[in-house]
Amino acid sequence: MSQPHQQPADADFAPRCYRHPDRQTFVSCTRCDRPICPTCLRDAPVGFQCPDCVGRRSSSRVRTPTLPYGGKVVARAGLMTLVLIGLNVVAFIATAVTSPAGFSHNESSRIFGKLVLNPTVIAENNEFWRFLGSAFLHFGVLHLAVNMFSLFVLGPALERVFGAWRYLSIYLLGALGGALSVYLFDNRFNNVAGASGAIFGLFGALIVVYRKMGLNIWALVPTILINVYITLSVPGISWLGHLGGLVAGAVAAVIFVYAPRMHRALYQVGGVALLVAIMVGLTVWRTGALDRMLS
């Protein structure tokens, strides 16, 4: 047992414990040098310490829990998902109340017309905000309900794994990937809208996570096949948007999941920046090609 830090042994001038002023003591804390009585002293690697210093030392060693791929643990998993659902619902209501035909044909709204994804309009007027704006539009209540139900089912689980901001990044990159796929390969006069690209981006991320964690990826196959069937069988649904979202979401998840532990955040930011740069490059190339076609 270590020896106490002794002060001069003169009882008339003995200091008093800072926590118990009625008790004299010749022992002081080795960290703050305050006098402490036998009740307050705590063993330390060298000498004794007071309860306050021991408490501060213990609290400084408590590590903030982090998620497996970086970021803080989400206090309320699903909150970001609810925010995204809310934004989609608000956008739908805004288009419905400003449409001459109301909720039955909200696509007649001027707001809808300003945000819907149309490759020709984008190329002619450089209205690139439509890439993301169109991801919050929906053709009717049924279209909105199906997409929001899928988001409600998929979102919270991925939010727990990635944290709110990485999860949001995957969602938005899936939306951009779906829009870019339509812009590159779809009919240049089609109007395309919906959160399906972003939701398929979440499917792509879920596949990557299942693979990384060694889970049975075949458990996802029925759900994916159902969505593929709906995509191919229901008229008007853009399978290119779904495919682009799936690929973009999967690539984003690979960046987050397989980034080296050392300097993980730096690699993740760099990887996402590179992915966005590739998307921008393809957009610029396609815009030039469409300009030549339209001129």
Side-chain angles (χ1 to χ4, degrees), residues 86-147:
L87 290 174
N88 279 276
V89 171
V90 168
F92 176 78
I93 293 174
T95 58
V97 298
T98 56
S99 169
F103 283 79
S104 58
H105 291 285
N106 63 303
E107 67 272 15
S108 302
S109 166
R110 291 185 61 186
I111 297 174
F112 200 102
K114 288 288 186 181
L115 296 177
V116 69
L117 181 65
N118 182 294
T120 298
V121 173
I122 291 174
E124 284 184 332
N125 305 314
N126 294 324
E127 297 180 356
F128 298 106
W129 65 79
R130 293 173 181 265
F131 276 60
L132 274 182
S134 60
F136 292 90
L137 300 178
H138 291 86
F139 292 97
V141 176
L142 181 60
H143 187 202
L144 174 72
V146 170
N147 278 343

Side-chain angles (χ1 to χ4, degrees), residues 73-82 155-161:
V73 174
V74 179
R76 292 180 58 190
L79 180 59
M80 184 62 75
T81 299
L82 292 178
L158 286 170
E159 200 172 334
R160 290 187 189 95
V161 172

